[in-house]
Amino acid sequence: MKLSYYPGCSLESSSKEYNMSARAACQALDVELIELKDWACCGATSAHSVNHTLSITLPAKNIALAQELDADLTTPCAACYNVLKKTDYTLRHDEEMRTKTEQITGFKYTGQVNILSLLEAVATKVGAKAIAAKVKKPLQGLNAACYYGCLLVRPPEVTQFDDREHPQSLDQIVNALGAKAIPWAYKTDCCGASLSLTSAEIVQKMVGRLVNAAQEAGANAIVTACPMCQSNLEMRRPKGAAGMPVFYFTELIGLALDLPDANRWLKLHLLDPLPLLQSLSLAR
C-alpha cells in the first residue's frame, strides 16, 4: 500500500520522535509513505484568522502535490490533518473558492485524493487484526488513556472519521498491541492547543484536569496522535499532577512490533517514559 505523506512542520522539529516512529511503524506494517516533494506549511492554526484565501491556497498546494503522485494523502499531525481536510471539503463543495484557488495555485483539483490522518490510515487501511498479527512483544501492563483531542474527529461533517464524542479507533489499536485501553470521559476534550504560547496558566488547568482524569480512570500512560496535544500534556502540567508518560500511538506500535529504534525515539521525550516501560519489562 502506498500513501503520499505530509509530515508537517512539527514533525521536523519539536516532534521528531513522532516522525521517526511513524515512518518505522508504517514500514513494518507494509505501508509505503512517499513524502511530498517541496511540501509547504499548511498554515497551521493561524492562517484562517489572517486571510481566508491564504488558509485555503496554502494547504491546496500540498493536495496538488499528492494529486501528482496519484496517492491518498496522510499526515500524522492532527492540526495539519484538520486543515488539509477542511481545504479538501471546501474545494469539493464551494465552486467559487475552488475556481479562485485553482487560478492562484495553478492546479486543477480533481477530488480523487482522499485526506487521511495517520491514525485513520492505520485504523482503516491496515486494521487492528493485521496489527495484532504482527505483535512480537505484547504491551502487557500498559494501561493507556487514549486521547484523541479536538481535531481528529471534529467537525464531523468534514472529518467523517470515527465518533465525535466517543471514538474507538485508537482504543482498538492499543488493545491490538496487547495493552489495555482504559475507558474515560475526556478523550476528546481540548488540551488548550496553541493557547500554551499565550495563556500558559489556562492550559495548565486544562492539562491538569486531563492528566488527573486519566489517573483516576486507572491509566498509567496517555497515548495520542497529535504533536500539540503531546507537547502540552508533557510541558504544561501543573505541579502535583500525575507523572504518567505520554506516547504517540506509532511509538507503541514500534514497541509491540519490537522495532530496533524504539529507545531512540523514547529518549527524545521531555517526560521520560522509560521508567514505566522498564518496570513493565517493555524496554531496556
Side-chain angles (χ1 to χ4, degrees):
M1 185 197 320
K2 294 183 179 182
L3 294 170
S4 55
Y5 180 64
Y6 177 74
C9 305
S10 293
L11 273 80
E12 296 211 336
S13 53
S14 59
S15 302
K16 287 182 179 179
E17 64 270 37
Y18 194 11
N19 192 24
M20 293 159 62
S21 61
R23 291 176 184 273
C26 284
Q27 183 177 7
L29 295 172
D30 302 317
V31 177
E32 182 182 354
L33 299 178
I34 308 170
E35 184 171 339
L36 299 181
K37 187 178 180 181
D38 296 327
W39 58 265
C41 177
C42 69
T45 56
S46 55
H48 73 277
S49 63
V50 176
N51 185 305
H52 178 62
T53 300
L54 182 64
S55 74
I56 299 298
T57 53
L58 272 173
K61 291 287 286 184
N62 296 308
I63 294 174
L65 293 173
Q67 269 190 197
E68 291 176 11
L69 292 173
D70 192 26
D72 287 346
L73 177 59
T74 189
T75 180
C77 174
C80 293
Y81 160 71
N82 198 270
V83 169
L84 287 163
K85 193 75 173 180
K86 283 180 180 176
T87 297
D88 184 68
Y89 183 86
T90 299
L91 296 177
R92 287 179 188 274
H93 296 93
D94 186 335
E95 185 176 354
E96 182 180 349
M97 181 54 72
R98 181 172 66 249
T99 301
K100 186 176 183 179
T101 301
E102 289 175 339
Q103 290 172 346
I104 293 171
T105 59
F107 93 102
K108 181 70 176 176
Y109 173 77
T110 66
Q112 294 178 341
V113 170
N114 295 311
I115 313 297
L116 308 166
S117 69
L118 188 61
L119 173 61
E120 182 178 5
V122 171
T124 61
K125 291 185 175 289
V126 179
K129 248 184 213 184
I131 294 171
K134 288 181 175 286
V135 169
K136 296 178 181 178
K137 188 169 64 176
L139 304 182
Q140 293 176 351
L142 190 68
N143 301 324
C146 294
Y147 182 61
Y148 297 76
C150 308
L151 298 174
L152 286 171
V153 293
R154 298 190 185 108
E157 65 273 13
V158 173
T159 59
Q160 298 180 2
F161 169 60
D162 219 323
D163 187 279
R164 61 181 166 179
E165 298 296 340
H166 190 53
Q168 291 296 311
S169 52
L170 182 53
D171 297 63
Q172 291 165 2
I173 290 173
V174 166
N175 287 330
L177 298 174
K180 182 179 179 181
I182 300 296
W184 70 317
Y186 291 80
K187 57 173 60 177
T188 60
D189 277 30
C190 183
C191 69
S194 57
L195 277 177
S196 180
L197 300 174
T198 56
S199 303
E201 70 285 353
I202 294 176
V203 176
Q204 281 186 338
K205 291 179 182 178
M206 297 172 78
V207 167
R209 184 177 64 176
L210 291 170
V211 174
N212 290 335
Q215 184 182 42
E216 289 173 7
N220 55 16
I222 299 174
V223 57
T224 188
C226 175
M228 177 64 79
C229 294
Q230 202 272 351
S231 294
N232 280 349
L233 287 166
E234 281 201 338
M235 293 173 58
R236 296 304 184 192
R237 294 189 189 191
K239 290 182 180 178
M244 68 177 66
V246 185
F247 296 96
Y248 292 111
F249 80 101
T250 49
E251 292 179 310
L252 295 187
I253 292 175
L255 280 170
L257 272 57
D258 202 20
L259 302 185
D261 287 336
N263 272 30
R264 184 180 166 205
W265 319 322
L266 298 171
K267 288 178 180 177
L268 294 176
H269 284 241
L270 296 175
L271 185 62
D272 188 3
L274 287 174
L276 171 65
L277 295 174
Q278 289 165 350
S279 72
L280 300 173
S281 299
L282 298 175
R284 292 182 288 276

